[in-house]
Structures are given as structure tokens and as C-alpha cells.
Amino acid sequence: MRIGTGIRMKIGPLMAMALLVALSLALTGFTGADAAADLTAKEIVARMDANAYMASAHLVAKLVIRAGSREITKEMEGWVVGNQKAMVTFLNPGDRGTKYLKLGDELWMFFPDAEDLVKISGHMLKQGMMGSDFSYQDALESEKKGELYEFKLAGVETYEGARCYVLEATALPGKQVSYPKRKIWVDSEKFVARREELYAASGKLLKVSRIEEVKEKGGRTYASRVVMEDKLKRGSSTTLIVEQVDFDVKIPGDLFSLRNLMR
């Protein structure tokens, strides 16, 4: 068994991280909140942040990674508790047994063939993952958006048939964020981010995420299909497809441990 740091990151199956990221995008379980009017930006963000929290969830999902004409599909299973703990394991033959573990602001990955445990850290956090459109820092950004950004209400628009508040966000001084600026279309009934544009400090558009499909289960609405596009790579996108999900499930406490990660 070897233990390393992010600088020795392999270029192998990194797609589980996409799931860790996408969990925050897809499983923002909202429960049919009433439409609201005349809300301030702060009130809108507070309701969006409240929806982003879930006690626990278990899901089976696919990731479809497209780079030009190339398309790769990964199958995986994930468990989440709150916004601090997540575990993902691959199911498809080529990556079976590869696992990712998020504990608060720390991120670990395990490669079964090499029995290699790696902690993602340093400059790797800002880098895009091989073959996907997510960065490691995306996965670790678990704080509420209202604690990371200053928001301004830019208007109200109809996006994909949904009435949305349009928010412009600028990172608060001293906060470590993945993107210094964001523009978010927040569904005025569901209080979920239908679309997000992610910008560099210079104002350059880096990525776009959007919800393509939502489903209902147990009185909860969730995003079952989420797409992330990297605008710096032509024809590059990653789609998360949630095939099965259960909310408020009991998860053994020792699941989220390094010992379990290496089993």
C-alpha cells in the first residue's frame, strides 16, 4: 500500500470526482416550495442554499464524458451525508474498485490495482480532471454559496420555460473559491440553479452547468440529468445521469473512512 499526495496524481479513472461535484448540482433536493416574489438576492440565495442540503442519499448514476467525437461512459454508486461526506465507487469493468472519499475539505482516491491511496492537494485542486469537465476544487467547495459570494439580483428571466431569478455573484474577500464570479439562473419556484455560468476574475467564461431534466420521488424533486461544459475546450462536456436515488437513507458511520476506502 502506498500513500501519496496530489502531485503524483494519475490520469486514470477520475470520473468519480465528477459525481462528487455533480451531487451538489443534481441532488439539491427541493420540495416544491411556493413561488416567491419580490425577494432580495440574499433571500434567494438563502433558499437556494437551504435546498442544497440533504441529510443523506444513495444513488446509482452514469457519467457520459464527451471530448469532440469521443464519448466515454462510467457507471458508479455513491453515498452522501450532508455536504461534508461523500463516497463514490466505480462499477464499470475498466474502473471497478476505484473509489473516492470526501471528508470535509479533504479529498482522497484509491486505485485497487496499484493499492495506491492518494490525497488530492496543492495545485492539483485547481486543475481539470482528465477526461472530465470538473476540477478537484469543485468537489471540495462545500460551503454555502451565501458564505462565499456577494450576490446581486440582475433581473428575472424565463429560462427553459421556468421563471428564474438571475443572480450575479462575486467572491467575498479572502474566500477560496473555484470561480471568482458566477451568474446563476435560480428557479423561482424550486430555488435550484437551472443554469450557472462560471467566470474567471477577468470575466472570461470558463464553464457552464445546466439542468436538463428533473424527476420526482417521495415528494422531493431532484435534477436527474445535469450537464457541465468546459468553454475552454471545444466540444467538451460531461453529463451526469441519475438512474436511481434514495433520500434520507441509513448509512453506516464507518463507510466514510480511509480504512473502508482501501478495502
Side-chain angles (χ1 to χ4, degrees), residues 74-226:
K74 306 284 185 179
E75 300 173 353
M76 58 196 67
E77 185 174 14
W79 297 262
V80 179
V81 170
N83 57 7
Q84 295 293 312
K85 298 179 180 179
M87 170 77 84
V88 172
T89 182
F90 279 93
L91 304 175
N92 57 292
D95 305 304
R96 189 181 299 277
T98 298
K99 299 178 182 177
Y100 288 76
L101 172 66
K102 174 184 174 180
L103 292 173
D105 59 356
E106 294 189 333
L107 190 62
W108 300 82
M109 55 195 303
F110 176 69
F111 301 96
D113 293 341
E115 293 190 340
D116 196 5
L117 179 67
V118 176
K119 183 178 181 181
I120 311 300
S121 60
H123 70 281
M124 289 297 299
L125 291 171
K126 292 185 177 296
Q127 294 186 5
M129 295 173 289
M130 189 71 177
S132 93
D133 297 277
F134 299 99
S135 72
Y136 298 105
Q137 196 166 37
D138 288 335
L140 289 172
E141 195 173 275
S142 57
E143 293 180 75
K144 295 178 179 178
K145 284 188 171 60
E147 298 173 352
L148 298 174
Y149 293 90
E150 179 181 8
F151 285 88
K152 180 179 70 175
L153 179 59
V156 178
E157 296 180 5
T158 299
Y159 175 77
E160 299 290 335
R163 180 176 179 269
C164 293
Y165 297 110
V166 182
L167 299 177
E168 294 177 350
T170 303
L172 291 168
K175 294 293 185 181
Q176 297 296 319
V177 297
S178 303
Y179 308 99
K181 297 180 180 178
R182 294 173 182 257
K183 188 173 183 180
I184 309 174
W185 282 254
V186 182
D187 190 304
S188 64
E189 290 190 10
K190 310 295 187 184
F191 288 92
V192 65
R194 292 276 184 178
R195 175 185 173 90
E196 278 199 71
E197 294 178 352
L198 310 171
Y199 294 89
S202 64
K204 186 178 182 61
L205 178 61
L206 301 176
K207 297 178 183 178
V208 174
S209 72
R210 66 179 191 277
I211 293 175
E212 287 193 338
E213 181 184 70
V214 296
K215 291 184 177 180
E216 307 278 343
K217 184 166 186 177
R220 180 187 293 265
T221 306
Y222 66 96
S224 56
R225 189 180 183 95
V226 181

Side-chain angles (χ1 to χ4, degrees), residues 33-46:
D34 294 333
D38 301 327
L39 297 179
T40 66
K42 186 175 182 179
E43 290 169 333
I44 296 166
V45 173

